[in-house]
Amino acid sequence: MHQGNQTTISEFILLGLSKYAEQQKVLFVLFLGMYLITMVGNGLIILTISLDSYLHTPMYLFLANLSIADIASISTSVPKMLMNIHTKSQSISYESCITQMYFFIVFVVIDNFLLGVMAYDRFLAICRPLNYTTIMQPKICALLTVIPWVLSNIVALTHTLLLIQLVFCYSNILPHFLCDLAPLLKLSCSDTMVNELVLFVIGLSVITFPFAIILFSYIHIIRAVLRISSTEGKWKAFSTCGSHLTLVSLFYGALIGVYFFPSSTHPDDTDKIGAVLFTVVTPMMNPFIYSLRNKDMKGALRKLIKRKRFIPSMPWASEFLLSP
């Protein structure tokens, strides 16, 4: 395509995670395994919550949404990467690249917002137990579920509309395994000052607002738990939010480690590491951290297995879920 005296590109070349051919098979097997684990684990969470009426509570509604977002998040990037490795083709069309970037932003942002909503839910359950059912009515739960999806799409749409105004003319090589916003801005031959300013302002807001809610919630949770006299009571209260706190630590630990303290020896790998952590590792860990080691979830899964509602050809899952 031509625009004035400049030639704009119609496709991008994704270099992937490694330039060495001998590592491609290892990466294919590794990421295929992680993709399947993520799909099965999060799929079990959604299925269990939908079939067990005991789990029809706000906490598990938010968890089901998190699992849906995690399945969608890993599906935006890994299948394309696996196809590229298998076909030995690294190209992606301009339209597909923009679409992939849009959904990558959506699902990373929605994970962030949902973690904040889940922290607020735990705050109400522990610090305001008598008012919990009054506050968390179905309409409020629906609103707290819909808002993260709406806001994440607004954020992604804003970045996308600004990006498509840019011209890409000199290089179409992306040192990445997916179309991420930051590497695309580096490739543009247009002035990206507005894009970078919006990226900074919105990015800071998207991170700080949910994190402030999480921080506020856990400060009050810790205070409430410390006022409990018995050790057993303290442990029971902490156990209700321990898995969520682990996920928060993983998500924000990765965020801080990658983007606030990047490696000086491999600065070009920062975006790749961040994308792998947010789109592959975190979604894969969610079932293990939050649900499959959760007492209520394991109990519900045991009941489903005993009723033979699950696939009988998964003895490893039965052994894990029926273990004490």
Side-chain angles (χ1 to χ4, degrees):
M1 293 186 296
H2 296 273
Q3 182 173 325
N5 294 327
Q6 293 179 323
T7 303
T8 59
I9 61 176
S10 59
E11 67 176 16
F12 293 97
I13 304 298
L14 297 171
L15 295 184
L17 290 172
S18 175
K19 61 183 179 181
Y20 302 107
E22 61 272 15
Q23 295 179 356
Q24 297 302 313
K25 289 184 179 179
V26 176
L27 288 173
F28 183 89
V29 173
L30 178 63
F31 277 83
L32 177 61
M34 290 193 290
Y35 180 70
L36 293 176
I37 290 171
T38 302
M39 297 296 287
V40 171
N42 284 286
L44 287 177
I45 293 173
I46 298 167
L47 182 64
T48 304
I49 292 173
S50 62
L51 293 178
D52 195 322
S53 58
Y54 179 75
L55 300 179
H56 293 176
T57 63
M59 180 177 74
Y60 291 106
L61 171 65
F62 302 141
L63 177 58
N65 272 268
L66 184 66
S67 292
I68 292 171
D70 284 342
I71 287 175
S73 176
I74 196 170
S75 297
T76 60
S77 59
V78 173
K80 175 61 178 174
M81 183 185 72
L82 294 176
M83 186 178 72
N84 286 355
I85 294 175
H86 179 69
T87 61
K88 294 181 174 59
S89 172
Q90 297 175 306
S91 65
I92 181 172
S93 68
Y94 175 86
E95 293 78 11
S96 297
C97 187
I98 298 300
T99 303
Q100 186 184 61
M101 183 208 71
Y102 178 90
F103 286 108
F104 171 69
I105 295 172
V106 165
F107 296 119
V108 170
V109 172
I110 200 171
D111 268 13
N112 198 20
F113 283 138
L114 283 173
L115 288 176
V117 170
M118 294 165 79
Y120 177 69
D121 174 72
R122 291 300 83 206
F123 159 73
L124 291 177
I126 295 174
C127 302
R128 304 286 189 272
L130 298 179
N131 300 324
Y132 181 75
T133 53
T134 305
I135 298 173
M136 296 299 286
Q137 295 179 4
K139 288 183 180 179
I140 300 299
C141 290
L143 192 64
L144 291 174
T145 302
V146 170
I147 286 175
W149 288 94
V150 172
L151 290 178
S152 61
N153 276 276
I154 290 174
V155 169
L157 185 62
T158 301
H159 289 307
T160 303
L161 291 177
L162 287 172
L163 183 72
I164 61 177
Q165 306 300 318
L166 303 180
V167 176
F168 298 89
C169 49
Y170 300 126
S171 174
N172 67 337
I173 298 175
L174 275 172
H176 212 307
F177 70 95
L178 59 79
C179 292
D180 195 0
L181 179 59
L184 283 170
L185 291 179
K186 292 177 184 177
L187 284 185
S188 175
C189 49
S190 303
D191 184 4
T192 60
M193 184 181 68
V194 174
N195 301 71
E196 291 171 359
L197 180 61
V198 171
L199 176 61
F200 175 78
V201 173
I202 294 181
L204 192 62
S205 303
V206 164
I207 293 169
T208 55
F209 181 65
F211 185 74
I213 294 175
I214 293 169
L215 193 61
F216 168 85
S217 299
Y218 276 104
I219 287 174
H220 284 78
I221 287 172
I222 292 170
R223 286 179 178 175
V225 170
L226 291 178
R227 287 197 293 266
I228 300 174
S229 56
S230 66
T231 305
E232 183 180 353
K234 290 180 181 178
W235 173 252
K236 185 177 180 180
F238 268 128
S239 65
T240 62
C241 54
S243 298
H244 174 261
L245 191 58
T246 304
L247 261 186
V248 168
S249 301
L250 177 64
F251 187 88
Y252 285 98
L255 185 71
I256 293 170
V258 171
Y259 293 110
F260 288 85
F261 299 101
S263 171
S264 58
T265 55
H266 300 286
D268 293 337
D269 292 338
T270 299
D271 294 323
K272 292 183 186 179
I273 296 170
V276 169
L277 288 173
F278 295 133
T279 64
V280 182
V281 177
T282 302
M284 182 184 69
M285 296 302 294
N286 173 35
F288 297 100
I289 292 176
Y290 203 96
S291 302
L292 297 183
R293 304 310 300 181
N294 176 282
K295 184 179 178 180
D296 292 336
M297 284 295 299
K298 288 191 70 175
L301 286 166
R302 285 194 193 101
K303 286 192 293 184
L304 289 176
I305 288 174
K306 288 177 182 178
R307 293 174 187 173
K308 299 181 180 180
R309 289 185 181 178
F310 276 150
I311 301 172
S313 59
M314 296 175 63
W316 61 269
S318 300
E319 183 182 350
F320 171 75
L321 294 167
L322 295 173
S323 62

